[in-house]
């Protein structure tokens, strides 16, 4: 696999064309991307005879890391206000439609989308990636807006919206686009769509449990645990959400065993089920859980 420092420099070089892009976005993208690719390397090698896509292809790997860095950057654009609202709206339009950004300072958006369009093994994956990006951006906007409103969402409404903001669909779709994982065909299967929702729900609940203390300290309400505590102050929220996690994990396991999705979806789903814990252990500046200020904030 491409050396870490080389990959990091290529992601940073691309990211410099995005206003507000920070070293952290590239570092976390490469860290997570390496973990995912390592988990599915054997499967990628197995299917390379069909696809002709080399798991070690530097161009494909860097494109994947850049998409992950983009997701981290978009998250912070929403959470930390890195760019003005009108700039963010233009960025979302560009990334969701695959067109150049209407305002200067964001040339990397068009560069990345053009590169992914050119690299797509199956053009349907590129179309789906644009749609996944639109869903991701809409979810990032909707959660905080609703949390700040007079009428608070129910737990079910919160979860329905916020699992899109975990961006796992983007991650999977980008991998499929680059290495020919046939996600566009699999999306037609109800069981596969169920798997996407379950693994995204797991990621969302892991995130909210981990970040609850810091979100409360920062006055953030876009968190399942905080939402439940606001509605039911005496509720054992942590126990409830941990039970939810266990239940969703069991449901996910049952579907995966029954359906036997083609490689590399088994190891890929397994990797995504634990990737949050990996980040919490290795990315202290971003994912530290010291409510008094040991880390910057909870992840999105």
């Amino acid at each position: 696999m491409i050396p870490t420092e080389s990959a990091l420099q290529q992601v940073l070089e691309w990211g410099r064309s995005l206003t507000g892009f920070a070293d952290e976005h590239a570092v976390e993208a490469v860290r997570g991307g390496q973990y995912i690719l390592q988990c599915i390397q054997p499967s990628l090698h197995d299917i390379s005879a069909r696809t002709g896509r080399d798991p070690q292809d530097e161009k494909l790997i860097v494109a994947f890391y850049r998409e992950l860095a983009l997701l981290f950057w978009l998250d912070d654009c929403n959470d930390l206000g890195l760019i003005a609202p009108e700039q963010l709206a233009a960025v979302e339009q560009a990334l969701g439609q695959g067109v150049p950004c209407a305002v200067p300072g964001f040339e990397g958006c068009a560069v990345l989308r053009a590169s992914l369009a050119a690299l797509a093994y199956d053009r349907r994956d590129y179309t789906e990636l644009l749609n996944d990006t639109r869903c991701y951006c809409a979810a990032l906007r909707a959660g905080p807006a609703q949390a700040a409103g007079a009428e608070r969402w129910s737990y079910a409404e919160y979860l329905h919206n916020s699992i899109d903001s975990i961006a796992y669909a983007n991650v999977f779709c980008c991998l499929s686009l680059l290495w020919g994982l046939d996600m566009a065909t699999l999306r037609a299967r109800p069981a596969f769509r169920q798997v996407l929702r379950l693994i995204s729900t797991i990621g969302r609940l892991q995130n909210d449990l981990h970040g609850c203390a810091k979100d409360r300290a920062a006055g953030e309400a876009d968190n399942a645990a905080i939402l439940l505590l606001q509605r039911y102050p005496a509720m054992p929220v942590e126990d409830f959400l941990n039970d939810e996690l266990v239940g969703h994990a069991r449901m996910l396991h049952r579907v995966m065993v029954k359906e036997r999705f083609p490689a590399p979806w088994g190891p890929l789903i397994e990797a995504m089920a634990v990737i949050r814990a990996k980040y919490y252990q290795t990315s202290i500046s971003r994912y530290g859980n010291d409510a008094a200020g040991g880390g910057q904030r909870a992840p999105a």
Side-chain angles (χ1 to χ4, degrees):
M1 192 173 293
I2 176 174
T4 300
E5 190 57 34
S6 175
L8 185 58
Q9 288 306 313
Q10 292 184 65
V11 176
L12 285 169
E13 181 180 355
W14 161 79
R16 292 191 187 101
S17 66
L18 299 176
T19 300
F21 190 88
D23 289 0
E24 175 190 302
H25 302 134
V27 169
E28 302 300 352
V30 172
R31 178 180 286 124
Q34 285 179 331
Y35 175 73
I36 293 169
L37 291 178
Q38 287 167 359
C39 289
I40 64 174
Q41 276 291 303
S43 296
L44 292 182
H45 279 290
D46 289 344
I47 66 174
S48 63
R50 171 180 64 82
T51 63
R53 294 294 173 100
D54 182 358
Q56 303 294 334
D57 188 320
E58 182 172 321
K59 183 181 294 185
L60 302 181
I61 293 172
V62 171
F64 178 52
Y65 292 167
R66 286 174 175 172
E67 179 69 15
L68 295 184
L70 176 76
L71 298 174
F72 281 115
W73 173 72
L74 281 172
D75 178 21
D76 284 351
C77 284
N78 279 271
D79 283 359
L80 305 180
L82 298 181
I83 59 179
E86 61 272 16
Q87 292 176 314
L88 182 56
V91 164
E92 292 176 349
Q93 173 74 13
L95 292 171
Q97 300 297 329
V99 298
C101 189
V103 297
F106 305 97
E107 291 75 15
C109 296
V111 169
L112 181 57
R113 284 293 172 264
S115 70
L116 291 175
L119 291 170
Y121 180 82
D122 185 332
R123 182 71 185 187
R124 294 177 298 168
D125 278 330
Y126 180 69
T127 300
E128 291 288 358
L129 182 68
L130 298 181
N131 182 63
D132 290 337
T133 302
R134 292 193 294 271
C135 291
Y136 176 58
C137 291
L140 287 177
R141 289 195 311 272
Q146 186 65 30
E151 184 179 356
R152 302 294 173 86
W153 273 340
S154 67
Y155 170 72
E157 289 170 316
Y158 167 82
L159 207 56
H160 178 76
N161 173 77
S162 64
I163 58 178
D164 285 332
S165 72
I166 210 70
Y168 285 4
N170 278 72
V171 176
F172 295 144
C173 192
C174 188
L175 285 168
S176 182
L177 179 155
L178 294 169
W179 281 283
L181 308 188
D182 205 24
M183 185 173 176
T185 299
L186 289 172
R187 284 181 193 256
R189 294 171 58 175
F192 185 78
R193 295 195 299 272
Q194 183 183 11
V195 164
L196 289 182
R197 301 302 284 182
L198 286 169
I199 191 62
S200 297
T201 301
I202 288 169
R204 179 78 266 158
L205 293 175
Q206 288 172 335
N207 176 91
D208 286 7
L209 277 165
H210 181 80
C212 180
K214 286 192 348 182
D215 283 347
R216 291 184 73 183
E220 298 285 345
D222 189 32
N223 181 302
I226 294 173
L227 181 149
L228 288 169
L229 283 171
Q230 289 174 337
R231 287 179 173 270
Y232 313 105
M235 182 179 183
V237 166
E238 186 173 337
D239 290 342
F240 171 78
L241 293 180
N242 277 312
D243 283 346
E244 289 277 281
L245 267 175
V246 171
H248 281 92
R250 282 198 300 259
M251 289 190 290
L252 177 63
H253 176 72
R254 287 195 288 266
V255 177
M256 295 298 294
V257 168
K258 179 181 178 181
E259 295 295 325
R260 300 288 185 183
F261 295 109
W265 290 101
L268 177 54
I269 295 298
E270 290 175 4
M272 297 306 292
V274 300
I275 194 170
R276 285 278 160 183
K278 296 290 184 182
Y279 271 126
Y280 301 150
Q281 294 164 8
T282 61
S283 307
I284 303 303
S285 64
R286 185 178 185 89
Y287 294 97
N289 203 21
D290 179 1
Q296 292 180 355
R297 59 178 180 82

